[in-house]
Amino acid sequence: MRSTYQDIARKVRRLEPPYYAATRLLAPSWLQPHILCVYAFAHATDTAADSGPVAGRAHRFHAWDTAVRAALADRRTDDPRLAALLHTLERTGLPETWVGTFVDGMAGDLGYRDFGSEAGFQAYVDRVSHPLMLLLSGVHPGCRTREVVRALRDAAEAAQRIDCLSDLADDVRAGRPCLPHTGWQLRGQIELARQALRRARDILPFLPPELVPVMTAFLDVHTLQLRAVERAGPRLTRTTVRPPLLASLKVLLSARRQHMKGALS
């Protein structure tokens, strides 16, 4: 199992270096393997729902969904990724119903994200984004309280809206924009993202102290991304906004210094 977790960590490092770095720098050491395991599981689920030829996508996702349900029911599996997930569930107490909720939400995605309206966007956050945040945070028992679960909804909405705005040009080119994007609508979406990010900071007093640096950095990095979106303005429909990597790294290192200072005080 140790070897499996090491393989998972290496994969996450290749797939998402900023997320890997944030986890290694800021998360409690005892939680790190489990956070990376859940991230890898979520990525595998998203890949099954949203990658590869469209023709066989539903069949591929159904096969993955069946494997996940069987592993949860039997408490055994030959798939190393799912074996690690079962181990994480056992060691952390992460509710397996949260796993099922996330997989159910991804089943409704299956490669086509068409919000079309504010109600459609909010439904997507409820179906996919919020369950994902619950999985990634819920490996810590202190993140399963009613207050944290509710506050994570705001964090999920803020991150999803900012990500959609950042990728809007790609979606427009593909003929499937996920948010309204005429001039005044785009300004409204940016303002909604700003409001959601402000609300999301209300989570900090409810978190276990050892997770405050992780969430603070998460919100600070998305603040940087939103500023880049705001600078792009009308160009969002023509230009993809890349994450400000250097500035994000500075945020992580600053959070790490504060975290270490608090640990030593």
Side-chain angles (χ1 to χ4, degrees), residues 41-261:
F41 165 75
H43 182 269
T45 305
D46 180 69
T47 298
D50 201 28
S51 299
V54 175
R57 194 170 290 165
H59 175 76
R60 290 191 300 275
F61 184 84
H62 177 70
W64 174 248
D65 184 26
T66 300
V68 172
R69 309 289 181 178
L72 293 174
D74 300 340
R75 291 292 168 180
R76 60 179 301 277
T77 176
D78 294 328
D79 188 317
R81 298 167 298 178
L82 296 179
L85 179 66
L86 291 177
H87 189 258
T88 285
L89 292 174
E90 180 182 346
R91 293 296 297 271
T92 66
L94 177 68
E96 69 176 64
T97 54
W98 288 10
V99 175
T101 298
F102 173 69
V103 175
D104 287 342
M106 290 303 304
D109 193 28
L110 284 182
Y112 186 64
R113 187 175 58 188
D114 180 18
F115 305 150
S117 65
E118 183 61 22
F121 171 81
Q122 295 294 342
Y124 183 87
V125 173
D126 286 334
R127 191 175 73 245
V128 175
S129 311
H130 187 207
L132 175 58
M133 289 286 287
L134 292 178
L135 277 186
L136 293 172
S137 304
V139 292
H140 193 297
C143 289
R144 301 173 206 154
T145 66
R146 183 178 305 172
E147 293 82 5
V148 173
V149 168
R150 183 171 59 246
L152 282 172
R153 173 56 169 76
D154 289 325
E157 178 182 341
Q160 186 64 63
R161 202 182 295 274
I162 291 168
D163 289 348
C164 285
L165 287 167
S166 300
D167 295 336
L168 184 59
D170 294 335
D171 292 337
V172 167
R173 280 191 290 269
R176 50 175 193 149
C178 60
L179 292 172
H181 58 282
T182 64
W184 65 270
Q185 289 174 329
L186 201 51
R187 291 191 294 273
Q189 289 296 328
I190 292 172
E191 177 57 29
L192 288 171
R194 190 183 297 117
Q195 293 173 10
L197 200 53
R198 259 197 311 268
R199 291 196 309 272
R201 292 192 181 272
D202 292 342
I203 193 176
L204 297 176
F206 298 110
L207 288 175
E210 61 268 32
L211 291 187
V212 170
V214 180
M215 181 56 68
T216 300
F218 174 85
L219 296 174
D220 287 348
V221 166
H222 277 84
T223 298
L224 291 174
Q225 184 73 356
L226 180 57
R227 289 173 185 164
V229 164
E230 291 170 333
R231 286 193 296 271
R235 292 184 291 109
L236 285 171
T237 57
R238 306 185 303 275
T239 305
T240 302
V241 178
R242 301 299 180 194
L245 292 180
L246 182 58
S248 297
L249 180 59
K250 288 180 179 178
V251 165
L252 295 182
L253 293 176
S254 175
R256 172 65 175 175
R257 285 193 294 270
Q258 292 300 317
H259 176 55
M260 294 304 296
K261 187 184 299 184

Side-chain angles (χ1 to χ4, degrees), residues 10-18 39-40 43:
R10 284 191 288 268
K11 181 173 184 179
V12 175
R13 185 176 61 196
R14 290 195 306 271
L15 288 171
E16 195 65 39
Y39 183 89
H43 182 269

